[in-house]
Amino acid sequence: MPPSGQAERCAPHVELPTNKELVLKVIPMPRDCNGNGDIFGGWVMAQVDLAGSVLPAHYCDGRMATVAVNQFLFKQPVRVGDILSFFASVTRIGTTSITVQVEVYAEQGRRRGRYIKVTEASLTYVAIDEQGKPRKIEVC
């Protein structure tokens, strides 16, 4: 894989999704970097988990927990100063769980208004009661 700078220049620019909801925007800071100057994958995963929980919160009406990361793909490195946009959509609503697809796009450095997809993931959240046990989701 080419060094981070080359990967950024070679990554295809894409349009932002119109069929998903913008649920979070964030700018990674220097404290979020690994030794290579890229943002830690774990930091990105934490942000995806937060973004993914936004839509299920509308359905769960109470506590919920992440129960599975079904898929997680890092497509391009994320750098300090990138503006990350997190888009989500509900892909499945079960009796006690909701599965969400999250896509992350970056505006890099001086290329404002031009986006690359850096990450995509599928996560499942479960509605829980006060004892931490799964409870039924009431879909209106």
Side-chain angles (χ1 to χ4, degrees), residues 74-90:
F74 294 101
K75 296 179 163 289
Q76 295 290 331
V78 175
R79 306 296 301 266
V80 169
D82 286 354
I83 298 173
L84 301 182
S85 299
F86 296 72
F87 290 84
S89 64
V90 173

Side-chain angles (χ1 to χ4, degrees), residues 89-107:
S89 64
V90 173
T91 57
R92 181 185 170 279
I93 301 176
T95 304
T96 62
S97 66
I98 299 178
T99 301
V100 178
Q101 182 73 26
V102 178
E103 295 179 358
V104 184
Y105 296 83
E107 289 179 271

Side-chain angles (χ1 to χ4, degrees), residues 12 16 20 29 33 41 57 62 64 68 73 90-91 105 109-110 113 132 140:
L16 295 176
K20 292 181 175 21
M29 303 304 285
C33 280
M64 65 181 176
L73 299 171
V90 173
T91 57
Y105 296 83
R110 289 173 269 167
C140 299

Side-chain angles (χ1 to χ4, degrees), residues 25-37:
K25 284 190 97 140
V26 67
I27 300 173
M29 303 304 285
R31 69 178 174 269
D32 306 316
C33 280
N34 62 24
N36 297 320

Side-chain angles (χ1 to χ4, degrees), residues 54-69:
V54 170
L55 297 180
H58 296 295
Y59 295 94
C60 289
D61 192 31
R63 293 180 65 199
M64 65 181 176
T66 308
V67 294
V69 177

